């Protein structure tokens, strides 16, 4: 319910636009600001529009009064992109409909507030696949996935969220609705306007609807854990699997031993599918179209990898329950907070640079904090590593020191400070390590052109003034 004062022009205008049941202020707004991992600031109001037109009405009010607007999806982001201090928090939670699934064209039209898992299950019910898959599938929304250009577990085969979006609808800072709901695979008619909003974290417009490209649902799913004795074997194994599995490789998740041990020892629920003590563990998955033939080929290919010395051990899931347990280990990231909150990173770099990079940051971390826990794992098939660090100390200076160690080497090797989680607030200071001055200047030009008053998710990604 709304807690407002009659003299508050912002609350009055929002209630007039949406109705009192869709506007929360005061203590009610603060209660809504609790995210999955952190509090998302102290918003002046939290609103729940039910249509693109109502989103437009909110932005017209905000634009007229000069009040910032911060879009909210599933509130599971890790980069501070949804922090809404002294702003209108615009939740897309009520805009969660799947409008259409076109089986013939393999497309889905969906509102931005739809939960990813709901969209995936709806596609599956029609014999189709929405390929995006990530740990927060049960809470992340399609709009948030698009706004951060989410990646997840299957990028090696299907690409990032950007590769799944055919068209979208967005509302600009002044309330103008830009409907670019393209349903065509090929459409070379001028600027591809949707790209302005994908990965922009709500700083250029609020995404309200989208047309997503679907794929045929796989008829087979084969999953295994394998172990390697050295890092050099990992890229060789990756390329061998890509070729030998006929393009069916869909996931290639590598775990350094500290992370593997963490998620397979108490109090974690998981048990180790392979013995502890190997230098690297890889979760491999292939999707295909012939259950019996694909299973035979998967086993044969892993046997050849074992014979050739690319792997030294392997275990193949024999049921969906076993596959689920294997993936549960990979997704059990919360274990890193056993001793206290870890500092999390999401970086991208060439596979060839990974061993030296991990060795460098690990050495620098241990030189300062001898008892540090440094957990490394990630979607290595697409160059994405997650680094999670627990030092035993807390505070902004500790966090800044760890960030300098983890981000510092990336500039020289052409790496990225954000592979798939966005920049938000937390990585803004490090954007110049991965983007040139000319690129950042162009970003500012776009921001000023589309949001001249600077009200859309201000202060996120980069400073404009």
């Amino acid at each position: 319910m709304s807690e407002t004062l009659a003299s508050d022009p912002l609350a009055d205008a929002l209630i007039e636009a949406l109705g009192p049941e869709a506007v929360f202020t005061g203590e009610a707004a603060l209660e809504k600001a609790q995210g999955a991992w952190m509090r998302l600031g102290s918003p002046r109001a939290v609103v729940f529009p039910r249509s693109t037109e109502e989103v437009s009405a909110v932005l017209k009010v905000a634009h007229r009064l000069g009040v910032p607007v911060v879009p909210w999806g599933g509130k599971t982001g890790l980069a501070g992109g949804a922090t809404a201090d002294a702003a209108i928090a615009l939740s897309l939670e009520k805009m969660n409909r799947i409008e259409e699934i076109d089986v013939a064209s393999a497309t889905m039209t969906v509102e931005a507030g739809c939960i990813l898992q709901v969209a995936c299950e709806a596609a599956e019910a029609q014999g189709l696949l929405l390929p995006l898959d990530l740990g927060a599938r049960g809470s992340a929304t399609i709009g948030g996935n698009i706004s951060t250009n989410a990646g997840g577990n299957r990028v090696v085969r299907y690409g990032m969220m950007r590769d799944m979006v055919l068209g979208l609808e967005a509302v600009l800072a002044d309330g103008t609705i830009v409907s670019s709901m393209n349903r065509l695979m090929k459409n070379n008619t001028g600027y591809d306007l949707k790209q302005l909003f994908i990965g922009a974290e709500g700083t250029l417009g609020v995404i309200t609807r989208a047309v997503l490209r679907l794929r045929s649902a796989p008829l087979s799913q084969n999953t295994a854990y394998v172990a390697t004795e050295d890092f050099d074997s990992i890229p060789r194994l990756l390329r061998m699997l890509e070729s030998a599995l006929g393009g069916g490789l869909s996931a290639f998740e590598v775990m350094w031993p500290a992370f593997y041990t963490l998620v397979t020892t108490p109090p974690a629920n998981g048990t180790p599918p392979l013995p502890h003590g190997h230098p690297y563990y890889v979760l491999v998955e292939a999707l295909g179209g012939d259950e019996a033939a694909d299973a035979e080929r998967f086993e044969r290919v892993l046997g050849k990898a074992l014979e050739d010395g690319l792997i030294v051990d392997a275990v193949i899931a024999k049921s969906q329950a076993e596959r689920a347990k294997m993936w549960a280990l990979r997704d059990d990231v919360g274990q890193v907070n056993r001793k206290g909150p870890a500092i999390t990173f999401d970086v991208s770099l060439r596979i060839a640079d990974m061993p030296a990079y991990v060795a460098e940051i690990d050495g620098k971390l241990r030189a300062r904090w001898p008892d540090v826990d440094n957990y490394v794992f990630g979607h290595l098939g697409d160059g994405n590593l997650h680094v999670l660090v627990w030092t035993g100390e807390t505070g902004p200076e500790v966090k800044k020191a760890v960030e300098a160690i983890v981000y510092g080497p990336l500039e020289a090797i052409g790496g990225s400070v954000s592979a798939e989680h966005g920049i938000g607030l937390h990585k803004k200071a490090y954007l110049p390590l991965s983007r040139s001055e000319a690129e950042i200047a162009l970003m500012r030009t776009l921001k000023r052109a589309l949001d001249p008053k600077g009200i859309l998710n201000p202060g996120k990604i980069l400073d404009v003034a």
Side-chain angles (χ1 to χ4, degrees), residues 54-91:
E54 288 194 349
V55 172
S56 173
V58 171
L59 285 169
K60 286 177 180 178
V61 168
H63 195 258
R64 174 168 56 83
L65 298 178
V67 179
V69 177
V70 177
W72 278 358
K75 300 190 290 186
T76 53
L78 294 172
T83 303
D85 281 317
I88 300 169
L90 193 156
S91 172

Side-chain angles (χ1 to χ4, degrees), residues 287-300:
L287 303 177
D290 187 321
E291 187 171 2
D294 291 337
E296 187 278 330
R297 177 164 63 174
F298 189 74
E299 186 170 348
R300 173 167 43 83

